[in-house]
Amino acid sequence: GNSVTQMEGPVTLSEEAFLTINCTYTATGYPSLFWYVQYPGEGLQLLLKATKADDKGSNKGFEATYRKETTSFHLEKGSVQVSDSAVYFCALHSGGYQKVTFGTGTKLQVIP
Amino acid sequence: NAGVMQNPRHLVRRRGQEARLRCSPMKGHSHVYWYRQLPEEGLKFMVYLQKENIIDESGMPKERFSAEFPKEGPSILRIQQVVRGDSAAYFCASSPPTDTDTQYFGPGTRLTVL
């Protein structure tokens, strides 16, 4: 079956530091890959996605590249802000009307 | 175009009561998914519905939980005789017909069982 593994948190960074949150996956076929963000007390928001190998998803300064050879989709941001403090979920979708498989989430805390 | 709507946002029930959670998908979306997020955990798939049909309920507990998506009105996730372990955030998502890969999530209903 499908699975997503992401680095455990919490991750604590100072403002303007570089962020990497690792994510690897196991899936049959050619899944689409996603990063969702959940701010405290809120639902999930789609942050970015990539639908095929070597695609790069980007949004709000975050980016992730779909690496089929390493089955990875690591999230990066060059300079984090306090407002980026949230829980980040890596996820995959096998296509069509199917369920999304989520990682366990990584809590990011950015301190001034 | 309003996003996925869920209500109530917060629901408190005592053990043994029933909980009803509602989800209205985005306009034009006829596919609804329910997920559960236990404290400090990721989201787990529960059920996938189309109008008047349950397509995949492989993530639903065998007892006390049921879901429907009638021809008219919102999708309902129903939990009978709630127990403390049912306390969680329940999220609904919907997909557009033109982009089946992407699911749009509602704000969730946070159920607390006393």
Side-chain angles (χ1 to χ4, degrees):
Chain A
N2 296 340
S3 68
V4 175
T5 302
Q6 59 183 106
M7 63 186 290
E8 292 195 17
V11 174
T12 302
L13 295 173
S14 297
E15 205 165 20
E16 299 183 1
F18 184 86
L19 168 71
T20 299
I21 300 179
N22 290 338
C23 172
T24 57
Y25 68 90
T26 302
T28 55
Y30 303 94
S32 295
L33 302 174
F34 303 82
W35 277 99
Y36 286 87
V37 58
Q38 184 179 32
Y39 297 102
E42 298 185 11
L44 272 73
Q45 300 177 25
L46 178 63
L47 181 59
L48 53 84
K49 73 175 190 179
T51 58
K52 61 183 187 296
D54 299 325
D55 268 3
K56 178 185 284 187
S58 61
N59 185 27
K60 299 181 181 179
F62 292 90
E63 57 182 36
T65 302
Y66 189 143
R67 302 286 188 201
K68 191 166 177 62
E69 64 275 13
T70 54
T71 62
S72 65
F73 193 56
H74 305 320
L75 182 68
E76 296 182 335
K77 186 175 185 182
S79 176
V80 293
Q81 305 300 313
V82 173
S83 57
D84 294 327
S85 297
V87 180
Y88 293 81
F89 292 94
C90 185
L92 72 81
H93 187 270
S94 294
Y97 290 109
Q98 297 194 35
K99 63 187 178 185
V100 175
T101 301
F102 287 89
T104 53
T106 302
K107 185 175 183 178
L108 170 66
Q109 183 177 13
V110 180
I111 55 178
Chain B
N1 188 7
V4 176
M5 301 181 70
Q6 292 187 247
N7 67 82
R9 294 292 307 275
H10 300 274
L11 181 61
V12 179
R13 286 286 179 267
R14 296 189 180 280
R15 282 179 295 171
Q17 292 184 318
E18 178 180 285
R20 280 184 179 241
L21 288 62
R22 296 175 185 76
C23 168
S24 295
M26 292 178 71
K27 186 177 181 181
H29 295 193
S30 58
H31 300 255
V32 165
Y33 309 78
W34 285 94
Y35 296 81
R36 177 166 63 176
Q37 183 181 32
L38 294 171
E40 306 300 323
E41 295 187 15
L43 278 73
K44 303 292 186 186
F45 168 79
M46 299 182 74
V47 63
Y48 159 41
L49 310 105
Q50 296 178 24
K51 286 283 188 181
E52 300 185 282
N53 284 303
I54 297 175
I55 305 304
D56 180 356
E57 57 181 347
S58 58
M60 287 278 271
K62 298 297 182 204
E63 298 178 349
R64 301 187 298 107
F65 284 72
S66 63
E68 63 177 8
F69 189 16
K71 187 176 181 180
E72 301 291 336
S75 175
I76 306 288
L77 179 67
R78 182 182 178 203
I79 311 172
Q80 296 178 290
Q81 299 175 323
V82 295
V83 301
R84 288 215 173 108
D86 297 333
S87 295
Y90 292 83
F91 291 96
C92 170
S94 68
S95 286
T98 54
D99 183 8
T100 59
D101 278 356
T102 303
Q103 295 180 11
Y104 296 86
F105 284 78
T109 293
R110 282 165 175 77
L111 172 65
T112 302
V113 179
L114 302 177

